[in-house]
């Protein structure tokens, strides 16, 4: 199972990628999508939504269940991945590239300390 070392992770199985422009992309991990099964629908917040770490920012629906998505850090939603509306299967096919879910700006940098690096996340899912 893939756990990219250039990302940070939450205990709720979201990944966080710091972009060069200071924004942050968020999605769910390969572990999470495998647990959920085939994703058939993704619900994401509106651009401009203010999120606090731990807030629900949407949900993913699979053939098995519906699961809430939780913000691993605080910030303002600056972009959503609109491709997931028509192609929710991207979450299963490419959880770290095509299936990013939201992008945040105005990020609370202090929250990075609450996230896991790849090694710690691998222990969590081990």
């Amino acid at each position: 199972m893939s756990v990219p070392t250039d990302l940070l992770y939450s205990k709720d199985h979201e990944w966080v990628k710091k972009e060069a422009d200071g924004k942050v992309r968020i999605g769910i991990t390969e572990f999470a999508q495998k647990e959920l099964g085939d994703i058939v629908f993704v619900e994401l917040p509106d651009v401009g939504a203010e999120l606090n770490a731990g807030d629900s920012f949407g949900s993913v629906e699979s053939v098995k269940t519906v699961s809430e998505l939780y913000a691993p850090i605080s910030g303002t939603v600056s972009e959503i991945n609109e491709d997931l509306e028509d192609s929710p299967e991207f979450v299963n096919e490419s959880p770290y590239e095509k299936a990013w879910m939201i992008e945040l700006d105005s990020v609370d940098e202090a929250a990075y300390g609450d996230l896991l690096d790849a090694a710690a996340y691998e222990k969590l899912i081990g």
Side-chain angles (χ1 to χ4, degrees):
M1 186 166 319
S2 176
V3 180
T5 58
D6 62 331
L7 304 175
L8 295 171
Y9 300 89
S10 75
K11 292 178 181 169
D12 293 318
H13 309 289
E14 281 88 19
W15 57 260
V16 174
K17 181 179 183 185
K18 296 181 195 179
E19 299 289 342
D21 61 5
K23 294 183 180 181
V24 172
R25 280 201 169 170
I26 296 169
I28 66 169
T29 65
E30 184 175 348
F31 174 84
Q33 67 83 19
K34 281 187 189 285
E35 291 289 306
L36 291 168
D38 292 335
I39 305 298
V40 295
F41 182 74
V42 178
E43 178 184 45
L44 297 173
D46 293 327
V47 170
E50 298 282 333
L51 298 176
N52 291 312
D55 286 354
S56 172
F57 70 83
S59 62
V60 290
E61 182 178 339
S62 72
V63 294
K64 293 196 251 182
T65 188
V66 175
S67 291
E68 292 291 313
L69 300 166
Y70 296 101
I73 56 175
S74 302
T76 303
V77 177
S78 58
E79 190 176 347
I80 63 168
N81 186 345
E82 293 179 4
D83 292 342
L84 296 179
E85 187 174 319
D86 294 326
S87 302
E89 68 275 7
F90 284 173
V91 176
N92 297 113
E93 295 169 5
S94 181
Y96 300 114
E97 289 84 29
K98 288 191 219 174
W100 63 273
M101 295 182 174
I102 60 173
E103 192 169 83
L104 300 179
D105 60 15
S106 305
V107 172
D108 176 10
E109 300 266 334
Y112 290 130
D114 295 333
L115 299 174
L116 308 172
D117 63 15
Y121 183 70
E122 284 179 324
K123 283 182 186 171
L124 176 73
I125 63 175

